[in-house]
Amino acid sequence: MHPAPATPAAVRRRHDREIVSLAVPAFGALVAEPLFLMADSAIVGHLGTPQLAGLAIASALLSTAVSVFVFLAYATTAAVARRVGAGDLGAALRQGIDGIWLALLLGAVVIAVTLPGAPWLVDVFGASDAAAAHAVTYLRISSLGIPAMLVVLAATGVLRGLQDTRTPLYVAIAGFAANGVLNVVLVYGAGLGIAGSAWGTVIAQVGMAASYLYVVVRGARRHGASLRPDAAGIRASAQAGAPLLVRTLSLRAILMIATAVAARLSDADVAAHQIILSLWSLMAFALDAIAIAGQAIIGRYLGADDADGARQVCRRMVQWGVLSGIVLGVLVILARPLFIPLFTGDSAVRDTLLPALLVVALSQPVSGVVFVLDGVLMGAGDGPYLAGAMLVTLLVFAPVALLVPAFGGGLTALWGAMTLMMTVRLATLWWRARSGRWVVTGATR
């Protein structure tokens, strides 16, 4: 006798368990990443203001350089998950190794640019001579760890594709702890100053990359996957990642335009904007964790030729996105008397912050669905559409945001433009999800 078909409630519970089991550890790993910078800032801050200013400049450059290549994680997750769904773990790991080799190549290119170009890159920020000297020191040393950082991105994508988000969490926690200890020992114990902080971060990143490589290499040997670089495979990884690079650059441009517009407003506006952007980024980590689960699960269903299962889990994840957005929005409104005093005591900043913060809170359900659908389409390998959709969003957002100062708008109007940006993203992603064109089954798209 055939087993009775699962009830809709049972299917929802199965999907919920899958989403939670992947999203919760992913959230922990995502939150651990900014803790590296927080630890460095706390330790370097006691050296002096020029050192801290130098760290801020160098960290901004490094985070931009690394975030641009986040496609190494996203594209690898989708490609590996498809092959896992198809039942070919050897091919899945081979695909992941191609992504890691690509990460090493890109890391070498970034080092080749950063080492000689560090003084010029720092000069763009117009910092004082004292701060610039510290920034160049930190940037040059830390750039040596960029290949390791990119390997961590690619290897994280491999493990996510293998439906494993716990190992990245454990590695992130260990890396954060090692980074803190090394910074204290090298900055103060060895008396290396800001250079010690940079070396501590490099050593921690190399250790994290080595841990990931151990796990991936062990899996590859178990399933007979070659570890040698394969030109065709590396080229395929690059081609899959190129559209996601366009998407990421477009999103970075949107955030840069928003900050540039805020800088044209009053000091209170730009201070309040920085606070809201920090909170917005924190909420993005929570929503991105669900999106990561979506990448892994959708890729696996499509690889297993289960189009109906992919559609079902997409619908369930959209519900998760809406609910998560509502919860985050309510938390922002209820907790504002608690966290606003932590950021500022200036009444002008508070008065500017509150109405804009309300706009952000009300837009969180939209953000929740956007993050989820973004993850779904990434998991489906629908990168070219995501690139085009983000370019359209940038073209809509840029003129609206740039007109805010011209029409006398303040921070609330700017974050209204940011909400418009998320609404345009929702429209483009929702249309694609409804069309069903993203549902392409098989081990490769």
Side-chain angles (χ1 to χ4, degrees), residues 86 163-164 426:
Q163 317 296 297
D164 176 10
L426 174 63

Side-chain angles (χ1 to χ4, degrees), residues 100-170:
I100 290 172
W101 278 111
L102 176 61
L104 287 169
L105 291 173
L106 291 173
V109 171
V110 174
I111 288 179
V113 172
T114 305
L115 281 178
W120 179 83
L121 292 169
V122 169
D123 281 345
V124 172
F125 285 80
S128 68
D129 290 342
H134 292 300
V136 170
T137 297
Y138 190 94
L139 182 59
R140 278 181 165 158
I141 296 171
S142 293
S143 67
L144 300 176
I146 285 179
M149 296 180 197
L150 300 188
V151 166
V152 166
L153 284 177
T156 298
V158 177
L159 295 180
R160 288 173 182 170
L162 294 172
Q163 317 296 297
D164 176 10
T165 55
R166 291 183 180 275
T167 299
L169 173 60
Y170 300 147

Side-chain angles (χ1 to χ4, degrees), residues 34-244:
L35 292 179
F36 269 83
L37 177 57
M38 289 179 63
D40 288 0
S41 299
I43 293 167
V44 171
H46 291 286
L47 294 174
T49 300
Q51 288 89 337
L52 186 57
L55 173 65
I57 294 168
S59 295
L61 289 166
L62 285 166
S63 62
T64 298
V66 174
S67 64
V68 161
F69 297 114
V70 73
F71 69 84
L72 288 167
Y74 294 159
T76 304
T77 297
V80 171
R82 274 185 176 270
R83 287 159 176 79
V84 168
D88 192 346
L89 288 178
L93 286 158
R94 176 65 256 181
Q95 180 72 37
I97 289 166
D98 290 335
I100 290 172
W101 278 111
L102 176 61
L104 287 169
L105 291 173
L106 291 173
V109 171
V110 174
I111 288 179
V113 172
T114 305
L115 281 178
W120 179 83
L121 292 169
V122 169
D123 281 345
V124 172
F125 285 80
S128 68
D129 290 342
H134 292 300
V136 170
T137 297
Y138 190 94
L139 182 59
R140 278 181 165 158
I141 296 171
S142 293
S143 67
L144 300 176
I146 285 179
M149 296 180 197
L150 300 188
V151 166
V152 166
L153 284 177
T156 298
V158 177
L159 295 180
R160 288 173 182 170
L162 294 172
Q163 317 296 297
D164 176 10
T165 55
R166 291 183 180 275
T167 299
L169 173 60
Y170 300 147
V171 174
I173 291 172
F176 169 70
N179 180 66
V181 172
L182 287 166
N183 267 258
V184 171
V185 170
L186 295 176
V187 171
Y188 298 114
L192 296 179
I194 194 170
S197 177
W199 281 116
T201 300
V202 168
I203 294 169
Q205 292 286 355
V206 170
M208 291 173 66
S211 299
Y212 276 117
L213 289 174
Y214 171 78
V215 174
V216 173
V217 168
R218 184 181 61 182
R221 286 176 172 168
R222 184 185 305 129
H223 295 283
S226 173
L227 300 175
R228 294 180 179 179
D230 176 66
I234 294 171
R235 187 165 54 250
S237 294
Q239 290 171 345
L244 296 181

Side-chain angles (χ1 to χ4, degrees), residues 239-440:
Q239 290 171 345
L244 296 181
L245 174 61
V246 173
R247 168 201 168 274
T248 300
L249 290 173
S250 299
L251 181 57
R252 296 290 299 188
I254 287 170
L255 296 177
M256 288 175 65
I257 290 170
T259 300
V261 170
R264 295 183 184 182
L265 306 175
S266 68
D267 288 347
D269 282 310
V270 72
H273 175 74
Q274 184 57 39
I275 294 170
I276 291 177
L277 197 60
S278 298
L279 294 170
W280 194 73
S281 299
L282 180 61
M283 290 187 287
F285 282 130
L287 298 175
D288 202 29
I290 303 174
I292 287 168
Q295 294 170 30
I297 296 170
I298 290 293
R300 193 186 77 231
Y301 273 98
L302 293 177
D305 293 324
D306 188 352
D308 288 339
R311 292 189 183 93
Q312 288 174 4
V313 77
C314 175
R315 286 193 293 269
R316 188 57 177 165
M317 295 197 72
V318 167
Q319 294 169 357
W320 269 82
V322 173
L323 179 61
S324 299
I326 292 172
V327 170
L328 288 172
V330 170
L331 283 175
V332 167
I333 293 172
L334 294 180
R336 68 187 188 281
L338 299 176
F339 65 75
I340 289 178
L342 297 176
F343 288 99
T344 181
D346 189 327
S347 60
V349 175
R350 291 188 184 189
D351 292 342
T352 303
L353 178 64
L354 286 171
L357 196 61
L358 180 61
V359 172
V360 173
L362 293 175
S363 69
Q364 285 310 295
V366 172
S367 297
V369 178
V370 166
F371 273 82
V372 163
L373 291 179
D374 209 36
V376 166
L377 297 184
M378 283 186 192
D382 206 9
Y385 180 83
L386 288 171
M390 190 61 81
L391 283 172
V392 169
T393 303
L394 173 60
L395 292 174
V396 172
F397 170 77
V400 174
L402 293 173
L403 285 173
V404 167
F407 284 90
L411 190 66
T412 302
L414 175 58
W415 277 93
M418 289 288 284
T419 301
L420 171 65
M421 178 270 293
M422 294 302 289
T423 304
V424 173
R425 290 187 69 190
L426 174 63
T428 57
L429 296 174
W430 185 267
W431 179 85
R432 186 65 168 184
R434 294 278 294 180
S435 74
R437 294 178 184 175
W438 59 276
V439 184
V440 178

